[in-house]
Amino acid sequence: MSKLKIQYTCTECGSHSNKWQGQCVGCQAWNTLVETIPEDTTSKTARFASLAPRSDIQALSSIQAEEQPRFGTCISEFDRVLGGGLVPGMVVLLGGDPGIGKSTLLLQSLGLQCKQQKVLYVSGEESAGQIALRAQRLGMENSPMPVLTEIQLEIIIDVVQKHQPAVVVIDSIQTLYTAQQNSAPGSVSQVRECAAQLTRVAKANGVAMILVGHVTKEGTLAGPRVLEHIVDTVLYFEGDSHSSFRLVRAIKNRFGAVNELGVFGMTDRGLKGVSNPSALFLSQHGQPVAGSCIMVTQEGTRPLLVEVQALVDTSHVPTSRRLTVGLEQNRLAMLLAVLHRHAGLAFFDQDVFVNAVGGVRITEPAADLAIVLAMVSSLKNRPLPKGLVAFGEIGLSGEVRPAPRGQERLKEAAKLGFSTAIIPAANAPKQAIEGLTIIPVERIEAALHALRSAFVS
Ligand code: TYD
Ligand code: MG
């Protein structure tokens, strides 16, 4: 018997190499090569030829814009991240840590949808009995929802083509395998091939397909990067495993806006949408405490109030520590440098820890001002005044730059009873907002000056 040929494939870009190397020659990523079995290329042309119908060149003006009819998922927070619901032929990739609630959310959604349209739940991870047990917990044990426990792609495609459901959930893409490839399920080539085939079936039959994807320990979707390019929409489940709140964020959406956020609470009877989450990420302090500042962040179309906490403490190690949870680590180093240079506050002998409360992740630079105020408050060990909110980006030269949708953020803060807002001058509203005193600042020094006169002593 001839020896089985082995090659190495990059999990990031999918390029091949005959020997193992630390760095991929294709994309220069480190430690991404995994052992694979070369695929059978003889039938490739025939397979790919069927992927798309032939088309001729057309003038853009002569092409009819297709207005896609949408249908809901019966869960309003899920509809919101999808940009208003599912579209026939749409392929959605839902990623997230194990146990965060991907299967729960999709089972709940299909359970509600099956009353209105044909659906199919394909599970390669759990047995039918396990799914029934979960359904019992969710109070849907009498649901007529069709379930298929299968991992072979060809059988799944066959069932989909025969039953023509409007929505199919594949839980998960890493468990599927196609007979056209001889590598193991979950390997790069299997995942890529299965996703490509399913996409083709979704487009050809007008089926909305939701693929569940595993996440690696680095927090990105397992499998080749191309997976994210193949699908129309990429959603990520986020959240702290210790808190009951779960966020679903749109990273890419060909049918709607990105950065839209769906907020859920995990209960003992499944996920429940939180339609008004603005005050969710505030911790309840009776009295103001040092090192805490409330910021208004904007997630998609919704403003959200989040508490930023900082702890600045004398360091007893040669290199003082800078740690962030839910915020950007590199930005923290930058803000500390700006504070030193433009406000004369030195942190070099201090450990600095910054945390966004409630497991929320804030990537927008408008968090800068709140982080700075929280750090200064902790350094001086003096609480910020009660009812204060702040937002604004800080530049390297110490200027405070405007944040998008400033008005909406301020209105939300006023609605929740906040009384003072330190904000970028360019965001200052033309008309006064009832109950809210605005302190517009142009530079970081001005923000700290405003703080000094307002510190609770
Ligand atoms: P699950 O949906 O299986 O996660 P994933 O598919 O993303 O791996 O996650 C379920 C988790 O949520 C599990 O730890 C148990 C918990 N859970 C509840 O708290 N309440 C419920 O009603 C259900 C069904 C699960
Ligand atoms: Mg699952």
Side-chain angles (χ1 to χ4, degrees):
M1 212 176 113
S2 68
K3 203 173 155 225
L4 202 62
K5 199 166 173 282
I6 280 180
Q7 67 180 11
Y8 297 86
T9 309
C10 173
T11 51
E12 289 287 320
C13 70
S15 66
H16 305 296
S17 150
N18 285 332
K19 62 177 197 317
W20 190 85
Q21 297 173 110
Q23 188 180 25
C24 168
V25 285
C27 64
Q28 266 73 47
W30 288 93
N31 288 327
T32 53
L33 292 195
V34 293
E35 202 175 287
T36 54
I37 299 163
E39 35 185 289
D40 176 17
T41 48
T42 44
S43 59
K44 230 177 184 176
T45 335
R47 262 190 295 134
F48 290 152
S50 62
L51 280 185
R54 273 201 64 162
S55 62
D56 287 324
I57 297 174
Q58 308 171 57
L60 182 58
S61 55
S62 71
I63 307 173
Q64 284 283 321
E66 292 172 31
E67 192 56 55
Q68 305 273 13
R70 282 183 186 269
F71 54 94
T73 57
C74 299
I75 296 183
S76 59
E77 287 296 300
F78 196 21
D79 283 343
R80 176 192 288 275
V81 261
L82 287 167
L86 292 162
V87 177
M90 178 186 200
V91 183
V92 182
L93 184 63
L94 177 65
D97 289 334
I100 200 155
K102 303 182 290 294
S103 309
T104 306
L105 175 67
L106 296 174
L107 199 68
Q108 278 182 292
S109 170
L110 286 199
L112 294 167
Q113 283 182 63
C114 73
K115 294 171 190 148
Q116 299 157 9
Q117 61 211 8
K118 272 179 144 180
V119 299
L120 178 64
Y121 182 83
V122 182
S123 180
E125 301 209 325
E126 290 164 302
S127 68
Q130 282 172 313
I131 298 168
L133 203 65
R134 188 199 299 268
Q136 224 171 38
R137 241 180 127 176
L138 300 172
M140 45 186 277
E141 59 270 34
N142 297 322
S143 171
M145 187 185 96
V147 175
L148 174 71
T149 48
E150 180 56 63
I151 59 168
Q152 199 191 335
L153 183 74
E154 285 72 19
I155 299 178
I156 296 170
I157 291 180
D158 206 39
V159 172
V160 169
Q161 282 172 340
K162 208 177 282 164
H163 290 264
Q164 292 287 331
V167 188
V168 178
V169 167
I170 308 281
D171 191 1
S172 65
I173 185 77
Q174 274 87 3
T175 55
L176 298 196
Y177 80 97
T178 160
Q180 287 165 350
Q181 305 244 333
N182 29 21
S183 47
S187 66
V188 181
S189 47
Q190 284 283 5
V191 169
R192 186 170 49 186
E193 184 63 27
C194 290
Q197 296 257 15
L198 286 170
T199 307
R200 180 178 59 82
V201 172
K203 305 280 174 214
N205 298 280
V207 181
M209 190 90 67
I210 306 177
L211 313 176
V212 173
H214 288 180
V215 165
T216 61
K217 56 183 184 301
E218 285 84 31
T220 52
L221 278 158
R225 250 291 136 90
V226 283
L227 206 56
E228 294 188 15
H229 297 291
I230 295 174
V231 300
D232 297 311
T233 302
V234 180
L235 306 179
Y236 268 97
F237 237 111
E238 290 175 5
D240 193 345
S241 53
H242 306 294
S243 100
S244 63
F245 295 110
R246 303 281 184 270
L247 310 175
V248 181
R249 197 188 291 272
I251 304 294
K252 160 187 170 176
N253 197 351
R254 286 191 188 139
F255 296 102
V258 286
N259 266 332
E260 201 56 86
L261 200 66
V263 185
F264 296 94
M266 179 64 94
T267 68
D268 55 353
R269 307 210 67 204
L271 288 159
K272 293 238 159 29
V274 182
S275 52
N276 187 13
S278 35
L280 211 59
F281 301 105
L282 305 181
S283 57
Q284 308 294 328
H285 301 296
Q287 286 298 317
V289 290
S292 157
C293 181
I294 314 291
M295 78 157 295
V296 199
T297 178
Q298 183 83 29
E299 290 292 350
T301 51
R302 266 192 313 204
L304 207 62
L305 277 95
V306 178
E307 179 177 344
V308 176
Q309 293 184 335
L311 177 68
V312 178
D313 192 27
T314 315
S315 179
H316 296 287
V317 284
T319 21
S320 47
R321 275 170 294 184
R322 274 92 180 78
L323 267 181
T324 60
V325 180
L327 294 153
E328 301 230 5
Q329 187 99 16
N330 290 340
R331 268 205 104 74
L332 174 63
M334 196 195 90
L335 292 175
L336 290 174
V338 172
L339 269 176
H340 183 222
R341 186 63 176 271
H342 298 284
L345 293 171
F347 289 81
F348 59 86
D349 55 351
Q350 307 281 336
D351 287 333
V352 182
F353 307 97
V354 186
N355 174 33
V357 170
V360 65
R361 202 157 63 214
I362 304 172
T363 47
E364 67 163 358
D368 290 355
L369 193 54
I371 299 175
V372 162
L373 296 186
M375 288 193 299
V376 172
S377 160
S378 180
L379 181 74
K380 307 267 184 203
N381 199 18
R382 299 175 88 179
L384 298 177
K386 212 173 173 174
L388 177 85
V389 289
F391 62 84
E393 179 182 346
I394 294 175
L396 284 181
S397 47
E399 81 277 18
V400 179
R401 291 210 212 106
R405 295 179 182 242
Q407 297 290 312
E408 283 167 45
R409 295 180 200 236
L410 291 172
K411 282 193 189 128
E412 190 67 25
K415 206 170 87 189
L416 288 166
F418 285 85
S419 53
T420 319
I422 303 186
I423 57 161
N427 277 130
K430 290 191 183 71
Q431 283 176 353
I433 295 174
E434 206 184 312
L436 197 64
T437 311
I438 307 284
I439 307 178
V441 291
E442 273 180 7
R443 299 193 49 80
I444 187 168
E445 299 93 311
L448 295 182
H449 180 75
L451 211 56
R452 233 169 281 136
S453 47
F455 258 134
V456 179
S457 47

